[in-house]
Amino acid sequence: MKWCRFQHDGQATYGLIEGDTVVAVSGSPFDVWTRSPQTYPLHSVKLLVPVIPPTFYAAGVNYREHVTAIAKKRGVEPQFPPFADVGYRANNALVAQDEAIVIPQDATDLVQYEGELVVVIGKKCHKVSEDQVLDYVLGYTIGNDVSERTWQRNDRTLWRGKNTDTFKPMGPWIITGLEPDDLHVTIRLNNRVVSEYNVKDALFSVRHFLSRMSQYLTLYPGDVLWMGTDGDTENMKDGDVVEVEINDIGVLRNPVVRER
Amino acid sequence: MKWCRFQHDGQATYGLIEGDTVVAVSGSPFDVWTRSPQTYPLHSVKLLVPVIPPTFYAAGVNYREHVTAIAKKRGVEPQFPPFADVGYRANNALVAQDEAIVIPQDATDLVQYEGELVVVIGKKCHKVSEDQVLDYVLGYTIGNDVSERTWQRNDRTLWRGKNTDTFKPMGPWIITGLEPDDLHVTIRLNNRVVSEYNVKDALFSVRHFLSRMSQYLTLYPGDVLWMGTDGDTENMKDGDVVEVEINDIGVLRNPVVRER
């Protein structure tokens, strides 16, 4: 199934995408829901961020080449995390498909994309084994973990570096029934492929992260886990368009604008 | 006004506390609301966490004595943060008045309280000056930033050290119309005062944090900012009761239980 959230009569409504049609749904995929008789052509609806998470988790550094590339730029030895210690991002920064990534006036030029798989939790999950934990996942979507590298490096926390308004594009929709280890991420800047990698090359898998997290905390319906990115990253500038594609999910596309 | 959130017919409902009575409200203090004709004796209702924040901010290290005490225990020089860089906590960890703080089986004995003022945002707030920013605050409540110190020190992030389930007691209610710099925090462990301090001794004030944050991000109704704690902290163990009192707000009280 292909779940979306869209603007309808000024209200956020969940919908099922079937071909080029959106079937409006009463309720949500995280609770009880029923198909309504209302349908809309997909191209006519304004897609919203597919879920506003109660808690917004991020794996952070979770791929070997990404860690190595960043270490090289800083002239230090790469340090791989010894355990799957999850971090956080913030809802204020979320934007949807086609919405602009806005670079603040006082940001440096080092504003970069990070294309990532996003896991969306479907059911309350506590102390669940790696074998069973994917049963608690509703589906998968795409995220772009936009980062201002000087703030990321120098601030005490990631608040500006990662969570400035518009720095967390997520969407366009949630696909159910996928095997995360079969997925492949391709990142394009102005139609040029700048990075691609296999999800299964992660230091810690979706199964491992979720199961380990669930030993100490309860995952709730709608929580999201961003899985981290691989490879090197480049600067984005005013007028650019950045796309993150994942096979069997789709393309998350966002224009870039610099605040004047 | 004294806003609470309580369990009613299996639903979370906002209410106004007037003396010993709770007046149920339709809507929420973050949007339109009306008093309902239904009232309940305060002692008969189950108080819930007074708000589930869209984003859960925490000042982290924000008091001089607290930084100095922690540095001394680690045998290092105290380092004061140069800027008000805000951090994050997670909703999974929230518990309400009288609910237990549960220490996991594999935690060390270094599980400690941190009593804090909590600011609750009432209106959307973006690029607002220090002079004006308190106009966007709904009110104030109390938080206990429970921390497992070995995990806090050794994990790559604060996920277990700060955000294990039940590690974020918040409540009991939200009080409007207070001046944060007039508030005084007292922390008691089993009725013994273990720490007290004045909110105005913070390295960075409520006004400064909120205004600075709002230059890069939008604060939304219901967002909370925990202001950090001062002084040294002690271990809590199975059977303890921890209380955080703030004048003009009330007492946040939680029992402590170790998982067997």
Side-chain angles (χ1 to χ4, degrees):
Chain A
M1 282 194 296
K2 197 169 179 173
W3 280 103
C4 71
R5 204 165 139 264
F6 65 104
Q7 190 82 25
H8 174 57
D9 283 351
Q11 293 246 323
T13 304
Y14 280 97
L16 284 166
I17 301 175
E18 298 177 351
D20 294 330
T21 300
V22 180
V23 181
V25 154
S26 308
S28 91
F30 305 104
D31 199 355
V32 290
W33 58 273
T34 50
R35 294 167 70 99
S36 85
Q38 291 171 296
T39 64
Y40 306 89
L42 176 56
H43 69 82
S44 75
V45 305
K46 159 71 179 136
L47 289 176
L48 303 175
V49 171
V51 60
I52 304 292
T55 301
F56 185 161
Y57 296 99
V61 286
N62 196 30
Y63 283 88
R64 201 161 286 273
E65 280 181 34
H66 183 65
V67 176
T68 307
I70 285 185
K72 199 173 162 188
K73 281 183 187 170
R74 297 189 189 180
V76 298
E77 281 298 302
Q79 289 207 318
F80 300 104
F83 302 106
D85 292 325
V86 78
Y88 300 93
R89 299 290 183 268
N91 287 346
N92 69 283
L94 289 168
V95 289
Q97 176 81 332
D98 293 326
E99 290 180 346
I101 296 161
V102 181
I103 302 177
Q105 273 186 328
D106 62 344
T108 68
D109 288 340
L110 301 181
V111 176
Q112 304 188 331
Y113 53 81
E114 294 188 3
E116 311 196 350
L117 176 67
V118 176
V119 185
V120 182
I121 301 299
K123 285 186 288 193
K124 205 167 154 177
C125 171
H126 186 58
K127 297 201 176 181
V128 174
S129 69
E130 291 192 27
D131 284 354
Q132 303 290 322
V133 81
L134 291 195
D135 296 345
Y136 296 80
V137 170
L138 171 71
Y140 300 86
T141 185
I142 306 171
N144 189 345
D145 190 12
V146 174
S147 309
E148 205 284 12
R149 299 298 184 198
T150 57
W151 294 339
Q152 181 180 354
R153 210 167 305 162
N154 300 320
D155 289 352
R156 187 173 63 85
T157 68
L158 298 176
W159 76 288
R160 285 191 300 180
K162 292 277 188 182
N163 295 320
T164 286
D165 278 353
T166 77
F167 273 23
K168 292 291 150 293
M170 180 166 75
W173 38 63
I174 299 165
I175 304 289
T176 67
L178 300 178
E179 165 52 54
D181 279 350
D182 292 344
L183 300 175
H184 181 84
V185 182
T186 306
I187 304 160
R188 288 186 293 269
L189 191 60
N190 304 323
N191 289 318
R192 175 175 54 93
V193 173
V194 284
S195 185
E196 48 183 327
Y197 65 94
N198 294 310
V199 166
K200 71 169 159 42
D201 293 336
L203 296 168
F204 304 104
S205 69
V206 173
R207 285 174 177 84
H208 179 74
F209 251 107
L210 293 181
S211 174
R212 174 164 154 84
M213 288 162 68
S214 83
Q215 305 309 311
Y216 297 91
L217 57 84
T218 306
L219 291 160
Y220 288 91
D223 282 350
V224 297
L225 170 62
W226 290 36
M227 289 306 299
T229 197
D230 203 2
D232 203 357
T233 57
E234 295 184 16
N235 299 344
M236 302 183 295
K237 62 179 191 313
D238 190 75
D240 283 353
V241 174
V242 60
E243 292 176 310
V244 184
E245 178 162 6
I246 301 183
N247 60 304
D248 298 336
I249 303 180
V251 180
L252 172 65
R253 181 189 311 104
N254 299 88
V256 179
V257 171
R258 185 177 266 274
E259 199 179 42
R260 285 167 214 281
Chain B
M1 282 195 296
K2 197 167 177 175
W3 280 102
C4 71
R5 205 165 138 265
F6 66 103
Q7 190 81 25
H8 175 58
D9 283 352
Q11 293 246 322
T13 304
Y14 280 97
L16 283 166
I17 300 176
E18 299 178 349
D20 294 330
T21 301
V22 180
V23 181
V25 154
S26 308
S28 90
F30 306 104
D31 199 354
V32 289
W33 58 273
T34 49
R35 295 167 70 99
S36 86
Q38 290 171 297
T39 64
Y40 307 88
L42 175 57
H43 68 83
S44 75
V45 306
K46 159 73 181 140
L47 289 176
L48 303 175
V49 171
V51 60
I52 304 292
T55 301
F56 186 162
Y57 296 99
V61 286
N62 196 30
Y63 282 88
R64 200 161 288 272
E65 281 181 34
H66 184 64
V67 175
T68 307
I70 285 184
K72 198 173 162 187
K73 281 183 188 171
R74 298 188 188 179
V76 298
E77 281 298 303
Q79 289 207 318
F80 301 103
F83 302 106
D85 291 325
V86 78
Y88 301 93
R89 300 289 182 269
N91 287 346
N92 70 283
L94 289 169
V95 288
Q97 175 80 332
D98 293 326
E99 290 181 346
I101 296 162
V102 181
I103 303 176
Q105 272 184 328
D106 62 343
T108 68
D109 289 339
L110 301 180
V111 176
Q112 305 188 331
Y113 54 81
E114 294 187 3
E116 311 195 351
L117 176 67
V118 176
V119 186
V120 182
I121 301 298
K123 286 186 288 192
K124 206 167 154 177
C125 171
H126 186 58
K127 298 200 177 183
V128 175
S129 70
E130 291 192 27
D131 284 354
Q132 303 290 320
V133 80
L134 291 196
D135 296 346
Y136 295 79
V137 169
L138 172 69
Y140 300 86
T141 185
I142 306 171
N144 189 344
D145 190 12
V146 174
S147 310
E148 207 282 11
R149 300 296 184 198
T150 57
W151 294 339
Q152 182 180 354
R153 210 167 304 163
N154 300 320
D155 290 351
R156 187 172 63 83
T157 68
L158 298 177
W159 76 288
R160 284 191 301 179
K162 293 277 188 181
N163 295 319
T164 287
D165 278 353
T166 78
F167 273 23
K168 290 291 151 291
M170 181 166 72
W173 39 63
I174 299 165
I175 305 288
T176 65
L178 300 178
E179 164 52 54
D181 279 350
D182 292 343
L183 300 175
H184 181 83
V185 182
T186 306
I187 304 161
R188 287 186 293 268
L189 192 59
N190 305 322
N191 289 316
R192 176 175 55 95
V193 173
V194 285
S195 185
E196 48 183 328
Y197 65 94
N198 293 309
V199 167
K200 70 169 159 40
D201 292 337
L203 297 168
F204 303 105
S205 69
V206 173
R207 286 175 176 84
H208 179 75
F209 251 108
L210 293 180
S211 175
R212 176 163 152 87
M213 289 162 68
S214 83
Q215 305 310 310
Y216 296 91
L217 57 85
T218 306
L219 291 160
Y220 288 91
D223 282 352
V224 296
L225 170 61
W226 289 36
M227 288 306 299
T229 198
D230 203 2
D232 203 358
T233 57
E234 295 184 17
N235 298 344
M236 301 182 297
K237 62 179 192 312
D238 190 74
D240 283 353
V241 174
V242 60
E243 291 176 309
V244 184
E245 178 162 5
I246 302 183
N247 59 305
D248 297 337
I249 302 180
V251 179
L252 172 65
R253 181 188 311 104
N254 299 90
V256 179
V257 172
R258 184 177 266 276
E259 199 178 44
R260 286 167 213 280

